[in-house]
Amino acid sequence: MLNVPEKSQTGRRVITVLVVAAALILQVSVANRLPTPGGVQPDLVLLAVVALALVSGSMTGMVTGFLAGLAADIVPPADHTLGRYALVYCLIGYLCGIASAEMDRQSVVPFFAVAAGALAGTVLYAATGMILGDPRAEWGTVSRMVPLQVVYDVVASPFVVWAVLRVTRKFERGERARGDRFSVPAARYRAMSGRSARL
């Protein structure tokens, strides 16, 4: 075997499911109960979707966003039109996944990308509420609550991004450690072959 073995897709899916499940549980049991000014809480599920999309790409971001949004639509206290979170998270996951190709995971850029994704997701959710005639999505309420929501999401984003990057890096290191110990990268193999041919 000449190349480094590919990462297991099943392992990636399990990590994604665990991250989304943890975000949902923390959202319902912790974030929604925080006594924050303005009665707005950070959206941990949206932040997790954005972070996973930045790590895994647009297709994973889109599918993860749709499924996480559907779960957020169903899990109590769901008091809005079914499918709003699924639509918003799906679009945000796709857009952030497209942006992931331009990013270096070692830099602080993902933190800014998560903040931008949180802003776009919050605005899009408010816009869909206005289109669907949600009485809580009147312009006065939205203009007061969206800035607070974005601020709380930006404050929470470094913790969510750090956790997602740490979990995915740990998984990738584990996959590399379990790989074939005798596998040699192609470039190194060619260099070794050239050296032995000259001997």
Side-chain angles (χ1 to χ4, degrees):
M1 195 168 173
L2 300 178
N3 295 319
V4 176
E6 291 184 6
K7 298 175 186 69
S8 162
Q9 289 301 315
T10 304
R12 268 195 183 279
R13 289 184 188 119
V14 169
I15 293 294
T16 300
V17 168
L18 290 175
V19 167
V20 170
L24 271 168
I25 291 167
L26 287 171
Q27 182 70 49
V28 172
S29 61
V30 178
N32 286 349
R33 298 171 190 267
L34 291 174
T36 51
V40 181
Q41 289 78 29
D43 192 342
L44 302 181
V45 181
L46 173 61
L47 296 176
V49 167
V50 172
L52 286 167
L54 291 174
V55 169
S56 304
S58 58
M59 182 57 72
T60 301
M62 185 173 64
V63 173
T64 302
F66 177 77
L67 295 176
L70 199 57
D73 282 324
I74 295 169
V75 170
D79 57 353
H80 55 271
T81 307
L82 183 67
R84 274 177 72 187
Y85 278 127
L87 172 65
V88 170
Y89 293 175
C90 179
L91 289 173
I92 296 302
Y94 177 72
L95 293 173
C96 289
I98 289 174
S100 70
E102 309 299 323
M103 289 184 198
D104 177 12
R105 286 176 60 185
Q106 303 297 331
S107 69
V108 296
V109 176
F111 294 99
F112 294 111
V114 171
L119 170 62
T122 303
V123 170
L124 190 57
Y125 183 78
T128 57
M130 293 170 111
I131 291 168
L132 294 171
D134 187 343
R136 294 164 299 179
E138 295 175 351
W139 175 249
T141 308
V142 168
S143 61
R144 180 178 54 83
M145 294 181 83
V146 165
L148 282 173
Q149 178 80 56
V150 172
V151 167
Y152 294 147
D153 286 347
V154 168
V155 168
S157 65
F159 304 104
V160 176
V161 174
W162 176 82
V164 170
L165 291 180
R166 186 167 177 93
V167 167
T168 54
R169 282 186 189 143
K170 193 170 191 176
F171 166 71
E172 288 170 4
R173 278 199 300 269
E175 283 292 305
R176 280 197 291 270
R178 284 195 298 272
D180 184 359
R181 294 180 185 191
F182 297 106
S183 64
V184 180
R188 187 171 167 205
Y189 177 78
R190 283 194 292 271
M192 287 167 52
S193 301
R195 208 177 304 133
S196 60
R198 279 187 235 111
L199 292 177

